[in-house]
Amino acid sequence: MKHEFIETIKLLEGNIFHLQYHQERVCTTFAHFFPDKKALSLSEIIPKDSLPPQGKHKIRIVYSNDSHTIEVLPYQLKPIHSLKCVDAEDFDYKYKFSERGFLNALKEASATDEVIFIKNGKVTDSSYANIIFYDGHQWVTPSTFLLNGTCRQRLLNEGKIKEAPISYRDIPSFQQIGFINAMLDIGELTVSTAAVLSSPHFSF
């Protein structure tokens, strides 16, 4: 089976953001899956001369050990009004695979705008972003993440968020939930924890 992976990089007003974090993840992925291959150089393959100079776009790169494709797409933020906790079972998403069928199926089955994946009673991620919780003083991100996203790691390095284990039962003790990824920085998309709906398996 051929493995394919994905990187989504923010392009804002013609500027590429945090490329070093994405390159580090690509190098880690190559070292694990393709140790005999030279890691893809993102700075070399991104067509800088033809990037849109205005607006917010996502540079979407799908790659394997011997090929890659690049798309540059306008970015539109989708509002979130309702969430539900769902069981991620034993799903492993340590590396950013392009195949996300399992995650998408769980989201669609929830019949809500977004989901919070739970493993062994602990909060992990949403379907497309890492999660941070605001307690009135600081933002906290679960230590039991599925994927250590580039934005998550950068915010930890910058001291803007802290990491801690969070049970799904802890969710109501926080005021807000924030969503962070390469396209969303801290504070850009937040909802009240009251938006999280109870379900038969996860009631508050």
Side-chain angles (χ1 to χ4, degrees):
M1 178 180 177
K2 184 175 183 179
H3 291 296
E4 285 191 330
F5 304 89
I6 186 170
E7 283 296 324
T8 300
I9 303 167
K10 181 168 72 173
L11 177 71
L12 182 63
E13 308 303 339
N15 297 308
I16 299 172
F17 279 72
H18 313 301
L19 190 63
Q20 69 274 20
Y21 281 94
H22 295 282
Q23 185 63 60
E24 182 178 343
R25 182 161 60 190
V26 169
C27 289
T28 299
T29 301
F30 264 79
H32 182 80
F33 289 95
F34 319 121
D36 59 336
K37 298 285 187 178
K38 181 182 178 181
L40 190 69
S41 172
L42 299 179
S43 63
E44 290 180 4
I45 67 169
I46 294 174
K48 300 181 182 63
D49 292 342
S50 60
L51 295 177
Q54 295 180 328
K56 188 174 185 179
H57 294 76
K58 59 181 176 181
I59 303 172
R60 185 178 187 271
I61 302 172
V62 178
Y63 68 93
S64 63
N65 63 320
D66 58 4
S67 64
H68 67 270
T69 60
I70 302 177
E71 292 181 288
V72 181
L73 306 167
Y75 181 75
Q76 292 185 331
L77 181 64
K78 295 181 179 179
I80 295 174
H81 302 291
S82 61
L83 304 94
K84 189 177 290 183
C85 293
V86 299
D87 190 354
E89 302 169 359
D90 296 322
F91 186 71
D92 183 8
Y93 197 66
K94 183 178 179 181
Y95 295 91
K96 197 171 175 63
F97 294 101
S98 62
E99 171 52 49
R100 295 168 42 85
F102 179 77
L103 298 179
N104 293 336
L106 288 177
K107 179 183 175 182
E108 291 174 6
S110 74
T112 54
D113 293 331
E114 189 48 68
V115 292
I116 298 173
F117 292 122
I118 308 296
K119 289 185 71 171
N120 301 315
K122 300 295 186 182
V123 174
T124 64
D125 299 329
S126 74
S127 71
Y128 72 99
N130 290 124
I131 307 174
I132 51 178
F133 294 86
Y134 187 65
D135 63 6
H137 302 284
Q138 62 185 353
W139 287 99
V140 184
T141 191
S143 56
T144 50
F145 54 87
L146 291 177
L147 176 74
N148 185 25
T150 57
C151 183
R152 179 186 186 277
Q153 188 57 56
R154 176 176 57 81
L155 292 174
L156 284 170
N157 291 346
E158 293 172 354
K160 295 180 179 178
I161 63 175
K162 79 169 195 175
E163 183 181 58
I166 299 175
S167 164
Y168 78 91
R169 295 186 184 277
D170 296 330
I171 293 176
S173 68
F174 293 95
Q175 297 177 8
Q176 291 182 299
I177 304 173
F179 299 84
I180 54 171
N181 60 25
M183 302 301 299
L184 292 171
D185 214 322
I186 186 169
E188 288 190 68
L189 178 58
T190 63
V191 298
S192 168
T193 52
V196 182
L197 307 176
S198 292
S199 64
H201 297 291
F202 301 104
S203 57
F204 304 109

